[in-house]
Amino acid sequence: MAAQIILFLPMTAGYWYVHSELAVWVQWVPDLFSDRPWRLAGLLLGTVLCGLLAGLIFTGPARLLYLQRALLAGAAMSLGAAAFDAYHMQLAGRLPFTKAALLLDLAVFFSALPLCIFVLSRLRPNNAFKPKPLRGSA
């Protein structure tokens, strides 16, 4: 319980930091295309990819640390990190498509971690290592 409380803020800050580093990393996605509509679609794809990868990276640690309360903790972490990101976001003077891309990035960043934790918790356990009895043995 103490580890859960102590590690909440560092995990939230780490989640935000990984997202910000991935945002710099996915800048190559629009450069894959030469036409302007495809470049804009690549920009949107990059923003979705950035938020989704950040959520996937922190799904395992959040699930292992918070066990049954992982969904609630993941929602709180993503809310804190997204609020910090939204507070520092500057939309004034931006083009409309850039505003849409930034808001899409914020929405994916907010929802990726709780959704990934929810999907991971809904998966059935893999019993591949469970021994299977032989047929005919009593």
Side-chain angles (χ1 to χ4, degrees):
M1 179 78 159
Q4 294 175 346
I5 295 169
I6 291 170
L7 291 176
F8 180 78
L9 254 103
M11 281 188 66
T12 304
Y15 181 55
W16 176 82
Y17 180 74
V18 165
H19 176 264
S20 64
E21 289 297 318
L22 285 171
V24 173
W25 179 74
V26 296
Q27 287 181 353
W28 57 268
V29 176
D31 295 333
L32 292 175
F33 309 105
S34 59
D35 294 337
R36 183 165 170 82
W38 287 105
R39 288 179 64 87
L40 296 175
L43 178 67
L44 293 178
L45 177 69
T47 60
V48 170
L49 187 67
C50 170
L52 188 61
L53 283 176
L56 286 174
I57 289 170
F58 277 84
T59 297
R63 181 81 173 120
L64 289 174
L65 184 64
Y66 293 101
L67 301 174
Q68 297 299 325
R69 294 182 183 100
L71 187 60
L72 181 63
M77 280 191 291
S78 67
L79 177 65
F84 184 76
D85 207 23
Y87 180 73
H88 292 289
M89 189 180 294
Q90 298 176 355
L91 295 176
R94 303 273 182 168
L95 295 173
F97 192 83
T98 306
K99 289 179 186 177
L102 288 172
L103 292 175
L104 177 68
D105 179 47
L106 190 63
V108 171
F109 180 48
F110 172 68
S111 62
L113 183 61
L115 285 177
C116 290
I117 291 173
F118 177 74
V119 168
L120 183 67
S121 66
R122 299 297 294 172
L123 290 176
R124 293 184 354 194
N126 183 6
N127 294 326
F129 296 110
K130 185 177 177 181
K132 296 180 183 176
L134 298 173
R135 287 188 186 169
S137 64

